[in-house]
Amino acid sequence: METSQGKLAWWQLTLFGVGCTIGTGFFLGSSIAIQKSGFWILLIFILAAFATLFVYEALAQMTVLHPQKGSFRTYAKQAYGPSAGFSVGWVYWCSEMLIMGSTLTALGIFTQFWLPGFPLWMLAAGYAVLALLVVILGSSGINKVENLLAIVKIAAVVMFILVAGYAFLQGTGGVKPIRHSAAEWFDSGWLGAWKGILYAFYAFGGIEVMGFMAVDLRDPKEAPKAGRVMLLAITVLYVFSIGLALLFVTKEGVTPDKSLLIAALEVMGLPYLVYVLGGVLVIAGFSILVASLYAISTMLMALAEDGDAPEWMANTWGKRKLPLYALGVNTLGLCVSILLALLMPKQIFEHITTAAGLVILYTWLFILASYLKLIKPEAGGQVKSWIAILLIASAVTGPLLEETGRPGFWSSLLIVLAIGLVAAWRLYKGNKTIKDPA
């Protein structure tokens, strides 16, 4: 997104953060967390919110003291050298590619509600083509659309809370809340919470993007306030909507291929609202897909301009300077997601979501490490940073506890290892050039 330097009010950054955060990670990914954690989901969402806040505050403090367009990628470079900047940039690019793959899959799953006979890979391919066309033909309007859809998403969740709250208090269509037994929903214990916390974190993915926008605030010192208000708002929306939904849905009714909110509305016997919310989910997910595709293409150009990617990736096309080459590279990544949806449609969303959540958390660890090195915070900042690191570490190790989470875990490690090896080779090559000049 582009803004005029120094023209952004703090509430606009808050709204932007909501638009980047509320998406398929919450609407669909929360179902995976509930399957693993039961009612512990409410606690782990609150814990994830605190850790996310600490990560954002670390990023905001670095932004206030040293405003940089490259945000956390630049701070990693300043703290630990060029190899760290290279690694953070490419780790983040990989996380965004995985998030787009997860979003594509989720959009296909949402659309199968209306078109159950269509294969998942075909729907994912259709949305990928549409997203590319929107970016190519209408990239200048992405900013306004994202701000508008942030309000739409907030309104949709608030609508659900009001409807479910009324149904809980008064009943609707003769439907009454379910009296869940403790054995049914709390038997997962702390081990279940450990397995599910990654997917709670995934629902907050996107706050790091606010760092890129914070440099354009009228008063950069308001960056922490913008993040606190945004995280408080979405945490309240998440906890209340999930808590109310769980009053109407049995544990067997929570599946990774259906939004919890949709399942609850179906139980309440409100088909019209099911269709309305289903449409909102598709539109909101598609908006995130388009914005992510445009943003990640722009970032790929920045990597190329800094010498951290092949120079030709920075080339643009036409009067509007469209990042056509970067878009082409990102399209290849989308094709991989479509191919995976074709080969394993039943498991694909959880696998990609697991890998995406893990890789974005690796980026957050880089942010905290850069903060501790550059800012050298006092005791309060140190404590909050290490609390966040411990919670992130628990989320990273959670997928190892069960078979379905391991493919995503090992895939994420493979990505980081590959990037680390390339960074080490670049460092070795650079040092050798200095020692043995031509």
Side-chain angles (χ1 to χ4, degrees):
M1 285 189 171
E2 297 176 0
T3 58
S4 299
Q5 189 172 5
K7 299 297 184 181
L8 197 65
W10 71 268
W11 62 267
Q12 291 175 304
L13 181 61
T14 297
L15 189 61
F16 172 79
V18 171
C20 290
T21 304
I22 299 180
T24 54
F26 165 64
F27 288 123
L28 196 58
S30 58
S31 295
I32 301 176
I34 292 164
Q35 276 192 318
K36 301 178 187 301
S37 306
F39 266 113
W40 290 97
I41 182 67
L42 302 178
L43 174 62
I44 64 175
F45 258 91
I46 293 172
L47 291 175
F50 274 111
T52 304
L53 174 62
F54 298 156
V55 172
Y56 176 77
E57 285 185 340
L59 180 58
Q61 287 185 42
M62 289 189 289
T63 302
V64 169
L65 294 177
H66 308 287
Q68 296 288 340
K69 286 288 184 182
S71 190
F72 52 86
R73 186 170 67 91
T74 301
Y75 301 137
K77 186 175 182 179
Q78 291 174 346
Y80 299 102
S83 294
F86 170 87
S87 300
V88 171
W90 279 106
V91 166
Y92 184 67
W93 180 83
C94 289
S95 73
E96 285 296 306
M97 289 304 304
L98 288 167
I99 287 171
M100 285 194 290
S102 175
T103 302
L104 271 180
T105 307
L107 284 169
I109 291 172
F110 290 150
T111 307
Q112 283 181 329
F113 176 78
W114 292 286
L115 303 170
F118 274 75
L120 184 61
W121 72 268
M122 189 178 295
L123 294 171
Y127 281 116
V129 171
L130 284 175
L132 286 167
L133 288 175
V134 170
V135 171
I136 291 172
L137 299 177
S139 58
S140 60
I142 291 175
N143 295 1
K144 295 178 181 179
V145 172
E146 286 302 306
N147 290 335
L148 174 63
L149 288 176
I151 298 173
V152 171
K153 286 184 276 189
I154 293 172
V157 179
V158 170
M159 175 203 73
F160 175 83
I161 291 173
L162 293 175
V163 170
Y166 177 82
F168 172 70
L169 296 174
Q170 303 292 333
T172 177
V175 177
K176 295 183 178 180
I178 300 171
R179 293 185 177 181
H180 296 290
S181 66
E184 179 188 3
W185 280 96
F186 288 97
D187 59 355
S188 58
W190 66 269
L191 198 62
W194 190 359
K195 294 177 184 178
I197 191 170
L198 170 65
Y199 306 98
F201 268 107
Y202 187 62
F204 290 96
I207 57 97
E208 71 286 339
V209 183
M210 294 177 69
F212 291 110
M213 296 289 288
V215 296
D216 288 327
L217 282 170
R218 293 172 188 167
D219 183 1
K221 293 181 180 179
E222 291 186 322
K225 178 171 69 174
R228 292 190 196 106
V229 173
M230 185 275 288
L231 284 168
L232 176 62
I234 65 173
T235 301
V236 169
L237 291 176
Y238 285 176
V239 171
F240 272 86
S241 59
I242 290 174
L244 286 168
L246 290 177
L247 296 177
F248 296 91
V249 181
T250 63
K251 196 168 186 178
E252 293 73 23
V254 181
T255 60
D257 59 350
K258 180 182 290 187
S259 169
L260 175 69
L261 306 191
I262 293 288
L265 288 174
E266 287 178 344
V267 172
M268 293 178 210
L270 300 170
Y272 294 109
L273 288 183
V274 168
Y275 278 96
V276 170
L277 184 58
V280 170
L281 299 189
V282 170
I283 294 171
F286 185 73
S287 76
I288 288 180
L289 177 65
V290 170
S292 296
L293 184 59
Y294 183 74
I296 205 64
S297 298
T298 304
M299 184 173 181
L300 197 58
M301 291 177 60
L303 285 168
E305 290 168 355
D306 289 346
D308 288 336
E311 292 183 3
W312 56 266
M313 290 187 186
N315 295 335
T316 57
W317 181 80
K319 295 181 179 179
R320 289 183 293 144
K321 295 184 177 181
L322 187 71
L324 196 62
Y325 299 96
L327 275 173
V329 173
N330 293 334
T331 301
L332 294 177
L334 294 179
C335 289
V336 173
S337 298
I338 295 167
L339 180 61
L340 290 173
L342 173 62
L343 296 176
M344 49 179 186
K346 292 184 178 179
Q347 303 87 8
I348 181 61
F349 180 73
E350 183 171 349
H351 291 338
I352 295 184
T353 299
T354 300
L358 289 169
V359 179
I360 196 67
L361 288 184
Y362 299 151
T363 302
W364 290 11
L365 287 174
F366 270 119
I367 292 172
L368 292 168
S370 301
Y371 169 70
L372 292 172
K373 178 75 178 291
L374 292 176
I375 304 299
K376 294 180 175 59
E378 297 181 355
Q382 293 272 354
V383 169
K384 289 193 287 187
S385 295
W386 284 106
I387 289 174
I389 289 171
L390 290 173
L391 287 171
I392 290 172
S394 69
V396 167
T397 53
L400 286 172
L401 300 177
E402 55 185 353
E403 187 176 350
T404 56
R406 290 169 193 155
F409 176 83
W410 295 119
S411 297
S412 72
L413 278 191
L414 184 62
I415 289 170
V416 174
L417 177 62
I419 293 172
L421 289 174
V422 174
W425 177 78
R426 283 165 50 90
L427 181 62
Y428 168 77
K429 185 179 178 182
N431 290 338
K432 188 175 181 181
T433 302
I434 293 173
K435 291 179 180 178
D436 303 309

